[in-house]
Amino acid sequence: MKRYPLHRNDIVVLALCAILIALGVLLSRPAHVVDIDIGNEGPFLYDGETNTFQNFYVFYHPEQWAERSFRWTRERGTLTIPSVQRFEPLLLDIVACGCRLDGSTISAQLLLNNTPIATLGLTDYWTTYSIAVPPTLEHPEYGLMLDMYAPTWIDASNRELGIALDRITITQQHPAPLADWASLPVLVIGIGGLLFWRRPWQALLLAACWLLLNGVYVPQLWPRWLFVSAGLVGLLLLWSLLKSPSPLRGAEFVAIALTTICGLWLVLSTQLLGHWVIDDAFISFQYARNLVESGQLVFNPGERVEGYTNFLWTILITVAYLFALDPVIVAGVLTMLLAYGGVLLVVLLARQLVPALWAWAAAVLLSLSSPFLLYSARGSGMETGLFAVLILATLLALFRQHWWLAGVLAALTLLTRPDGVLLAGVGGLYALLVGVRGAGFKQLAALRPALAYALPMVALYLPYYLWRWSYYGYPLPNTFYVKVGGTWAQVLRGAEYIGQYGLSEPLLGAALVAALAGWWLWRGVPALPWREVLAVQVLVALSVLYVVAVGGDWMPGQRFIVPFIPLLVLLVVWGAAGLARHGRWVALVALVLLVLTGGGMAARLPADSSYAYTDIWSWNYTVRRHREIGRWIRASTPPGTWIATGAVGAIPYYAERPTIDIYGLVDEHIAHLDVPDIGTGRPGHEKSDPAYVVERAPELITYKASDELWDYTGFRSAYTLTEFPGPEGHSVQMYVRNDTSLVELSAPR
């Protein structure tokens, strides 16, 4: 693109940007306040869980006295406010009463994040106690856990009563500037780049979006500067699709409006719908940590078992450990950037198939797909977003006939997931078709595109494959042997899995209709990109057959379908654009059909929210509980203590102890068991060997693992169920081997 020196408009834009930056720095946000009226806490999503706080533990039912609503604790009362440390410094106000009604004063100990902070002298009167919260108290979710201990007394109802609590308020002591200074360098670089490329009005829009994102930020897993910076980078990526230096008219205006809306929506979805992380993500985190700490790409030191299927993703997480970064946040940032990359690439691919204006519909539809958002912008910690983006990038390189680049990208796709072999095969057939089209069947030149594509792919992937086979001892990952059995029951389960997605989101049905009708709608077009459309359709068909064959998956949001959701979007847009060719009023019908499809997709979004009682909320809760169990194990047991569990994600990751997986995901023996009826149960949870687990004599077995072990008499005689106070406010139930000293730590309730 041709570049020009600064014009008068540029000076005006710079001045307006400076004004917006000054407003962000000079104006202040209202102080953040979390006010919990004990007894009137609002609706509970689950026992002890609301949108404001978690782990509301060991409290009695609400009571009324002297126009106050309050609750009694027992000896200990606990609650956690997540992410509130993002707005330090904080002031904690507690309205409490000893209420022994005999004039006595009791001493109650207050702990914040397991750190003793103050001793409160509680009387018979309701009193407000104000405590300045020390900065940077360690918490895995950057929250604040309040622990209150007090001597108990027995009331007339024979209840053990500790403290009467009326209200807990956490207030940001000093209102912060409206905008965060840490995100300012990204804004300045972005404005400079946009002016350099003659896009002054986009520079002004970027400054306005910077101010908006700063203003709407609420405490979450990410700090504010990272949230805002991710949004700005994403907007700049999407704006790179715009070719006109002055997008102020017609189609250009529509393009910049849609890219801006999509760019803001992707980052705001983390606040409107919530972040999430699934337990299995911590398997890759465990492998990455062991690679950094011991030089072994293993789950348990000394055991070479390939319990992951995402080598490239695991290596990316390893980089986070090299720089001592939180892998949960790093994974979230990566998946957010991958969301922007997916939207960008789907537009570029759509331009290969349909007129440019229709291509923007692909960006909107993909941004509205709840499964795509779940495994990209909103987190999950899984490699799914990376796999989807690499598929799109490979197809784009193929369609533009950059054969060497396509081969490299296909190799990276295979390194991300083994089922990338489907893409590798389709890419090879496409390259062969292009070669034959250009040189004919009888000329050796017809093979050049296919060879140029295959050589870098083989050169990169084959050495890795030979290494992993020699390192782990099997041609396929351990997870394949756990999950796949080749039964008809498994195929039926896979078909049901595809059907569930088709019922939950209209995209699959719309894509099927578009794929069939599109060939008729586009008939007679000389420049029809039939090879490209055929490649997309064949890849979708093979992906569906693969998912059916392996029996689907157990994770929420139809994880196995996410990588080809962008391809479904391409087919829908291709069909709609073909329909629009047949007249102005027909084009309006096509637009209405796209709107209806997008509306049906958007309707699913609330069902996957992290702020309601959904599967996604449940997985966040599961990870927190497993994290607490793991943290207790690490704090209470010596290194080398063996544990057994059926959840080999957050528990062993936070425990940092060797682990036996009772379902075999990271265990060679269990994975290779023969289960004739595989496919009738939950994928990945159908193989177990209780005798083998008990004979390995782990010192600890988690409570839920007993479901698989209970019928084995050796388990019941060798282990005792005990209960311990956990580090995040709950109790931890654990089966402890009878001949260990850990039994002495038990604290039955």
Side-chain angles (χ1 to χ4, degrees), residues 325-365:
L325 300 175
D326 184 343
V328 175
I329 291 184
V330 169
V333 172
L334 288 175
T335 54
M336 173 61 74
L337 295 177
L338 289 166
Y340 285 109
V343 172
L344 183 147
L345 288 167
V346 83
V347 173
L348 291 175
L349 277 168
R351 286 176 176 174
Q352 302 286 124
L353 309 179
V354 299
L357 187 58
W358 284 94
W360 299 111
V364 176
L365 286 180

Side-chain angles (χ1 to χ4, degrees), residues 521-583:
L521 294 170
W522 283 97
R523 70 192 185 282
V525 177
L528 177 67
W530 65 271
R531 288 184 299 273
E532 288 76 9
V533 175
L534 185 62
V536 171
Q537 291 184 347
V538 169
L539 184 55
V540 169
L542 290 176
S543 299
V544 170
L545 291 175
Y546 168 79
V547 172
V548 171
V550 299
D553 185 45
W554 61 268
M555 295 187 190
Q558 286 85 31
R559 175 178 68 114
F560 278 2
I561 296 175
V562 171
F564 60 87
I565 283 178
L567 306 183
L568 298 178
V569 166
L570 288 174
L571 293 177
V572 169
V573 172
W574 178 67
L579 184 62
R581 292 181 55 249
H582 298 275

